């Protein structure tokens, strides 16, 4: 896309990024508690993804950061300053809404410079910045169109352009790619990540798609039912999930969790403990625990073997060329691929 | 087979067509024809008089009076109703205490028949005892005969109309405001847009189709709503508060000068047609975004 030609104008939008910090943030509605005691650091100039299932409070958290809602209790700090009570306009951040929130009666150009006009940036500068950003986002030929004359991906880029032109250090995005088809989504992932790195933005990006999170993030904040489960880099998160929730949420197919009682080698662990093994770490050979094969799903390069160890249903991933397994197999895995969790679902180190 | 279906179709349409032609189209055409004929009186039958009725009209000082009145009346009621109804809609389009009650209160004047409304206002305007004079009395001002003196009669009637129809128009504006996505306001808030700027740059353009619709209705009402003139002033004093439709009624059913009444009616229809078409063509281009 048109973003390749951009390297030369990067320096012109140099942004001094600021980090965010949330301290004990809680948000309660009449009917539900959306966020409970959330304390996280969002480092300056990094790409932070808020990841979690639907309804876990991601949007709520983003709106609190933006100032569109107020927390019930807790503090929000931006670059060390308490911004909890500040109105949105004074927080010096931009936001891309899930539904883009483009003004339907304004052209692409007017949409992009809306904020600059409101803030009385003078006309010459407005146009200069517009041209720069339009070129960066590949919107050159579309400036006179209205949003309803654009494709989803183009609207997406207008929304991005509106955020970028404000040259604000912090950018918030709420599931910006959820309306796009798979191909466009893959392209936009790269573009957004690229943009964030070139401009050095502090990005807070909401998604419930783990592929998006894994490919784009510097840090992932995994959330569940209004609480933070884990904050980690993508590799750490995959390699060492802190809770069974993270273990099951990241990875397709998810990690196998087997009751320690079903595995002779782990019977010494306390009651309720779980042993976790990623499907690709399991090896089918002559030794190890016995498993009953229930089915095979062929995926081309790989195949997924559904089996049972005691009461636990598990999945084994192996190269498809291995051929069909016997009805009963023995499974083993390297010691370093074993994840142990206590009865509360916390990782045992 | 197909023929049978056609016959059925026409039979089903027939009642509506009979009513439509019998009570709308034929009388309209008849009115147009009548305006070129004289009024039959006693044994004198109607004769073709060409443009005579129209010539008489342009020379009729009362006609000029009611036209002027009607233009003033329209020039005030249209913008005032739109402004007030929009203001009320903006006011009740948010979460405030007693919202349901407020919306109902604003809508009430519309539910009342104009005749009833006129009677309420008759009391407000009562010289000496009426609401307005009592308030004026508190400030030591002397009573005013609001509807009894030429200088205020027309404006008194105008106020009643605005009060009566603003609540109705508010409903349309409220519906339009509710179609504007909340996140537009939020996006603008992040940019530091003031309420005022947001209204003029976003809300106003987006509710333009509704504003057009309401203004067309207000225009039609300005020539159509005369019930309160009957109740409050009968066009007086000295035609100071007579409106075109009231004058048509006077000519047609008090003086039985049906030809002249037909002529006036044609003029009124032409005015309404020009305004209506004009509004659509002028504003239409700037109105549709979606
Ligand atoms: N205005 C509200 N009133 C009451 N409850 C609300 C309100 N807004 C959100 N909630 C509740 O708060 C919780 C978190 O909502 P939120 O929109 O933050 O979820 P989310 O993680 O963004 O989900 P999704 O991925 O579906 O967008 C949900 O249980 C929701 O029902
Ligand atoms: Mg959400």
């Amino acid at each position: 896309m048109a973003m390749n030609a951009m390297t030369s104008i990067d320096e012109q939008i140099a942004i001094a990024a600021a980090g965010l910090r949330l301290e004990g943030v809680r948000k309660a509605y009449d009917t539900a508690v959306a966020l409970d005691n959330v304390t996280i650091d969002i480092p300056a100039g990094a790409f932070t993804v808020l990841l979690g299932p639907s309804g876990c409070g991601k949007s709520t958290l983003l709106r609190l950061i933006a100032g569109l809602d107020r927390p019930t209790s807790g503090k929000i700090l931006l670059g060390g300053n308490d911004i909890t009570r500040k109105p949105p306009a004074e927080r010096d951040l931009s936001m891309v809404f899930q539904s883009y929130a483009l003004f339907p009666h304004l052209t692409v150009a007017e949409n992009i410079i809306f904020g600059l006009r409101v803030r009385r940036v003078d006309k010459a500068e407005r146009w200069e910045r517009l041209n720069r950003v339009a070129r960066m986002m590949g919107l050159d030929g579309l400036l006179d169109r209205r949003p309803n004359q654009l494709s989803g991906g183009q609207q997406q880029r207008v929304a991005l352009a509106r955020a970028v032109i404000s040259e604000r250090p912090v950018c918030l995005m709420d599931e910006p790619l959820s309306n796009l088809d798979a191909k466009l989504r893959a392209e936009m992932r790269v573009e957004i990540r690229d943009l964030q790195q070139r401009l050095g933005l502090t990005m807070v990006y909401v998604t419930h798609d783990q592929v998006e999170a894994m490919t784009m993030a510097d840090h992932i904040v995994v959330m569940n039912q209004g609480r933070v489960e884990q904050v980690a880099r993508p590799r750490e998160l995959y390699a060492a999930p802190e809770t069974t929730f993270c273990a099951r949420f990241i990875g397709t197919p998810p990690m196998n969790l087997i009751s320690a009682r079903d595995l002779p080698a782990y019977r010494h662990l306390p009651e309720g403990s779980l042993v976790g093994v990623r499907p690709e770490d399991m090896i089918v050979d002559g030794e190890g625990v016995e498993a009953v094969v229930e089915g095979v799903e062929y995926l081309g390069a790989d195949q997924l073997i559904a089996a049972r160890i005691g009461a636990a249903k598990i999945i084994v991933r192996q190269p498809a060329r291995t051929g069909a397994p016997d009805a009963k197999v023995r499974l083993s895995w390297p010691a370093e691929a074993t994840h142990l969790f206590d009865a509360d679902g916390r990782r045992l180190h | 087979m197909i023929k049978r279906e056609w016959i059925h179709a026409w039979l089903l349409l027939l009642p509506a067509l009979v009513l439509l032609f019998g009570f709308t189209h034929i009388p309209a055409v008849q009115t147009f024809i009548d305006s070129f004929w004289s009024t039959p009186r006693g044994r004198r039958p109607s004769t073709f008089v060409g443009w005579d009725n129209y010539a008489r009209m342009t020379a009729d000082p009362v006609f000029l009076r009611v036209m002027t009145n009607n233009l003033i009346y329209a020039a005030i009621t249209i913008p005032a109703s739109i402004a007030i109804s929009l203001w009320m809609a903006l006011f009740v389009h948010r979460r405030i205490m007693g919202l349901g009650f407020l919306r109902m209160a604003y809508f009430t004047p519309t539910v009342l028949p104009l005749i009833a409304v006129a009677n309420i206002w008759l009391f407000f305007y009562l010289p000496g005892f009426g609401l307005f004079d009592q308030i004026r009395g508190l400030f030591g001002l002397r009573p005013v005969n609001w509807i009894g003196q030429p200088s205020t009669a027309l404006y008194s009637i105008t106020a009643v109309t605005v009060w009566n129809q603003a609540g109705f128009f508010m409903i349309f504006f409220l519906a339009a405001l509710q179609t504007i996505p909340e996140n537009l306001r939020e996006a603008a808030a992040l940019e530091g847009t003031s309420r005022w700027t947001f209204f003029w740059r976003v809300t106003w353009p987006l509710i333009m189709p509704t504003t057009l619709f309401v203004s067309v209705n207000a225009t039609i009402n300005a020539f159509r709503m005369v019930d309160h003139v009957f109740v409050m002033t009968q066009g007086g004093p000295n035609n100071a508060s007579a409106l075109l439709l009231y004058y048509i009624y006077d000519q047609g059913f008090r003086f039985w000068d049906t030809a002249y009444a037909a002529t006036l009616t044609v003029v009124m229809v032409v005015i309404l047609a020009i305004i209506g078409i004009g509004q659509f063509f002028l504003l239409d281009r700037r109105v549709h975004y979606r």
Side-chain angles (χ1 to χ4, degrees):
Chain A
M1 296 223 155
M3 305 203 70
N4 310 334
M6 293 338 318
T7 359
S8 60
I9 47 176
D10 293 350
E11 299 78 46
Q12 300 172 30
I13 312 180
I15 292 173
L20 276 162
R21 180 172 167 75
L22 286 86
E23 288 180 5
V25 170
R26 175 185 165 86
K27 175 72 182 175
Y29 291 107
D30 310 341
T31 48
V33 177
L35 289 175
D36 199 8
N37 194 21
V38 172
T39 300
I40 45 170
D41 266 307
I42 294 170
F47 199 116
T48 303
V49 168
L50 304 181
L51 177 66
S54 188
C56 71
K58 307 178 298 285
S59 298
T60 306
L61 188 56
L62 207 65
R63 292 174 58 83
L64 292 181
I65 296 174
L68 300 173
D69 288 324
R70 291 283 146 84
T72 312
S73 62
K75 273 204 290 190
I76 301 171
L77 305 161
L78 175 62
N81 304 317
D82 189 341
I83 57 165
T84 318
R85 306 270 145 215
K86 274 195 184 173
E90 289 170 26
R91 299 188 175 206
D92 214 20
L93 39 78
S94 55
M95 181 162 175
V96 178
F97 289 79
Q98 177 167 0
S99 48
Y100 311 145
L102 300 179
F103 301 110
H105 60 297
L106 299 180
T107 63
V108 168
E110 290 166 333
N111 260 290
I112 297 175
I113 60 168
F114 185 89
L116 301 186
R117 275 186 75 160
V118 167
R119 273 172 275 135
R120 310 240 150 103
V121 173
D122 74 53
K123 199 168 179 182
E125 187 187 340
R126 234 155 49 199
W127 283 106
E128 193 208 308
R129 275 160 81 169
L130 172 64
N131 283 330
R132 199 166 64 206
V133 171
R135 224 171 329 129
M136 176 190 295
M137 306 304 298
L139 290 168
D140 294 299
L142 307 173
L143 291 179
D144 294 328
R145 302 232 193 133
R146 290 196 203 286
N148 64 358
Q149 299 165 320
L150 299 178
S151 73
Q154 290 165 336
Q155 290 182 25
Q156 166 80 59
R157 271 180 285 163
V158 177
L160 273 171
R162 197 169 62 179
V164 169
I165 203 170
S166 66
E167 300 186 1
R168 288 170 162 179
V170 180
C171 184
L172 313 176
M173 295 194 181
D174 192 352
E175 305 200 23
L177 306 186
S178 55
N179 297 344
L180 306 185
D181 66 37
K183 180 168 173 293
L184 202 52
R185 195 182 299 193
E187 284 172 9
M188 290 303 297
R189 278 209 299 265
V190 179
E191 285 191 32
I192 292 176
R193 175 65 172 154
D194 215 49
L195 189 76
Q196 180 270 330
Q197 288 189 324
R198 279 187 290 116
L199 303 184
L201 296 171
T202 303
M203 177 75 81
V204 186
Y205 185 101
V206 165
T207 183
H208 58 240
D209 178 349
Q210 53 162 308
V211 178
E212 254 171 51
M214 296 303 257
T215 52
M216 299 169 86
D218 290 317
H219 303 274
I220 298 178
V221 177
V222 183
M223 298 179 62
N224 183 30
Q225 300 191 336
R227 293 170 175 278
V228 174
E229 293 273 332
Q230 183 173 5
V231 183
R233 296 180 174 279
R235 279 174 197 279
E236 285 170 45
L237 185 61
Y238 192 79
E242 278 301 323
T243 64
T244 47
F245 175 82
C246 293
R248 301 281 306 174
F249 196 70
I250 307 291
T252 33
M255 183 186 285
N256 298 308
L257 292 174
I258 309 156
S259 171
R261 274 192 306 155
D262 291 332
L263 299 171
Y266 297 95
R267 290 239 168 88
H268 62 278
L269 290 173
E271 180 67 24
S273 300
L274 292 169
V275 178
V277 186
R278 296 246 175 237
E280 65 271 24
D281 289 331
M282 289 192 151
I283 305 160
V284 180
D285 61 13
E287 52 200 272
V289 272
E290 199 175 77
V292 182
V293 174
E294 299 193 318
V296 178
E297 195 178 344
Y298 174 72
L299 298 179
D302 289 345
Q303 62 187 4
L304 302 179
I305 303 171
R308 225 156 22 90
I309 299 177
K313 286 181 180 288
I314 58 151
I315 304 266
V316 179
R317 184 179 202 124
Q318 58 170 197
R321 62 186 131 74
T322 321
D326 301 329
K328 279 197 176 161
V329 294
R330 286 184 169 274
L331 298 173
S332 62
W333 52 87
E336 64 273 18
T338 314
H339 308 257
L340 299 179
F341 299 95
D342 66 18
D344 297 331
R346 310 228 128 256
R347 184 181 190 83
L348 294 166
H349 288 278
Chain B
M1 240 351 243
I2 287 176
K3 219 172 160 191
R4 273 267 291 284
E5 278 175 17
W6 274 100
I7 292 170
H8 283 163
W10 280 109
L11 281 175
L12 288 170
L13 282 173
L14 196 62
L17 280 180
V18 167
L19 291 175
L20 196 61
F21 276 92
F23 293 99
T24 305
H25 294 153
I26 293 173
V29 173
Q30 190 61 50
T31 302
F32 182 71
I33 295 169
D34 283 352
S35 73
F36 295 100
W37 292 71
S38 68
T39 306
R41 296 216 188 264
R43 256 182 265 153
R44 205 145 34 88
S46 181
T47 55
F48 183 80
V49 294
W51 293 97
D52 274 9
N53 285 327
Y54 290 90
R56 174 184 158 200
M57 185 181 74
T58 49
D60 177 1
V62 181
F63 171 73
L64 294 179
R65 175 85 248 192
V66 299
M67 274 311 284
T68 319
N69 283 349
N70 217 147
L71 289 180
I72 295 171
Y73 179 76
I76 297 174
T77 56
I78 298 168
S81 303
I82 292 175
I84 292 173
S85 58
L86 180 53
W87 182 83
M88 293 193 299
L90 287 168
F91 187 66
V92 297
H93 176 58
R94 52 177 148 170
R95 282 181 217 108
I96 44 173
M97 289 260 291
L99 186 64
F101 173 78
L102 255 184
R103 286 185 183 174
M104 194 195 67
Y106 285 160
F107 192 56
T108 309
T110 300
V111 188
L112 299 174
L114 192 50
I115 302 276
V117 168
N119 276 307
I120 296 171
W121 279 76
L122 218 44
F123 162 73
F124 289 171
Y125 285 139
L126 218 57
F129 306 101
L131 182 69
F132 292 127
D133 274 356
Q134 293 208 13
I135 292 172
R136 283 171 62 91
L138 292 180
F139 297 96
L141 298 167
R142 59 179 183 76
V144 174
N145 188 358
W146 296 100
I147 55 177
Q149 64 186 28
S151 59
T152 52
L154 181 62
Y155 302 100
S156 303
I157 284 191
T158 307
V160 177
T161 311
V162 173
W163 188 80
N164 181 243
Q165 69 183 2
F168 184 56
F169 294 154
M170 178 197 75
I171 300 296
F172 293 101
F173 279 123
L174 194 55
L177 289 175
Q178 281 167 353
T179 65
I180 298 179
E182 184 66 4
N183 61 20
L184 294 187
R185 216 202 76 245
E186 293 174 346
L190 282 166
E191 305 281 8
T193 316
S194 67
R195 270 165 168 258
W196 180 254
T197 311
F198 183 73
F199 176 78
W200 285 113
R201 300 264 299 136
V202 181
T203 311
W204 177 251
L206 287 180
I207 60 170
M208 205 41 143
T210 304
T211 311
L212 173 67
F213 174 79
V214 165
S215 70
V216 168
N217 270 280
T219 308
I220 293 169
N221 281 353
F223 289 91
R224 199 187 59 115
M225 299 215 324
V226 289
D227 316 21
H228 53 325
V229 179
F230 284 88
V231 174
M232 296 177 74
T233 64
Q234 288 85 44
N238 190 22
N239 292 319
S241 63
L243 301 175
L244 184 55
L245 186 56
Y246 184 82
Y247 187 51
I248 292 174
Y249 171 84
D250 246 12
Q251 291 298 323
F253 299 101
R254 290 249 304 273
F255 306 136
W256 295 108
D257 191 348
T258 49
Y260 192 44
T263 313
L264 294 169
T265 305
V266 170
V267 168
M268 177 154 133
V269 169
V270 168
I271 291 172
L272 283 177
I274 290 173
I275 295 173
I277 293 168
Q279 269 170 328
F280 270 108
F281 278 87
L282 245 163
L283 295 175
D284 214 31
R285 246 175 287 141
R286 306 173 38 203
V287 157
H288 293 290
Y289 305 112
R290 295 167 204 252

